[in-house]
Amino acid sequence: MKKSGGSVDEFVAAVKPAKRQRDALAMIELLREVTGREPELWGTIIGFGSCHYRSAAGSEGDAPIAAFSPRRESTTVYTLRTAAHGERLAKLGPHETGVSCLYLKDLDQVDAGVLREIVAEDYRRVLAGETGDTSYTVTG
């Protein structure tokens, strides 16, 4: 994955439907507060900070440290592993999960404090190098 450049503001202004656009603006503020970093575009992903990862299986690449994407059906929040947040997810509110994705159809229906905890914990773990089989080196 690579930073694509471009304007985050222009990207978000083009997000449809309007609800997803409002959620994107709220997510930018949440991730900006948690990370202390400014958003950058990685294709259709809005990322905060950057790192190089290398898995025990040998795959490697570059990725944002914290990120989300305003997809048409839901806001996708990228996590290290959703299973690591079991108790928090039980308190979050309506959502679906993938291995490393959290899907939120309506940000207004989830507990913003719990969402903040999930994002902050993953961010902290990457910075501290506490990520299990995958190593991360912060690059930006």
Side-chain angles (χ1 to χ4, degrees), residues 51-65:
C51 62
H52 185 80
Y53 66 88
R54 179 173 292 139
S55 74
S59 64
E60 65 179 287
D62 297 312
I65 301 171

Side-chain angles (χ1 to χ4, degrees), residues 59-118:
S59 64
E60 65 179 287
D62 297 312
I65 301 171
F68 78 96
S69 183
R71 306 283 186 214
R72 180 169 290 283
E73 293 300 316
S74 63
T75 297
T76 302
V77 180
Y78 298 96
T79 67
L80 292 175
R81 292 192 62 78
T82 56
H85 298 290
E87 289 182 26
R88 288 185 181 106
L89 292 176
K91 299 175 188 174
L92 180 61
H95 69 278
E96 294 180 18
T97 60
V99 173
S100 295
C101 295
L102 180 58
Y103 305 103
L104 307 173
K105 289 188 185 255
D106 188 346
L107 208 55
D108 290 338
Q109 292 185 3
V110 300
D111 185 316
V114 173
L115 180 57
R116 178 183 302 277
E117 289 174 11
I118 290 168

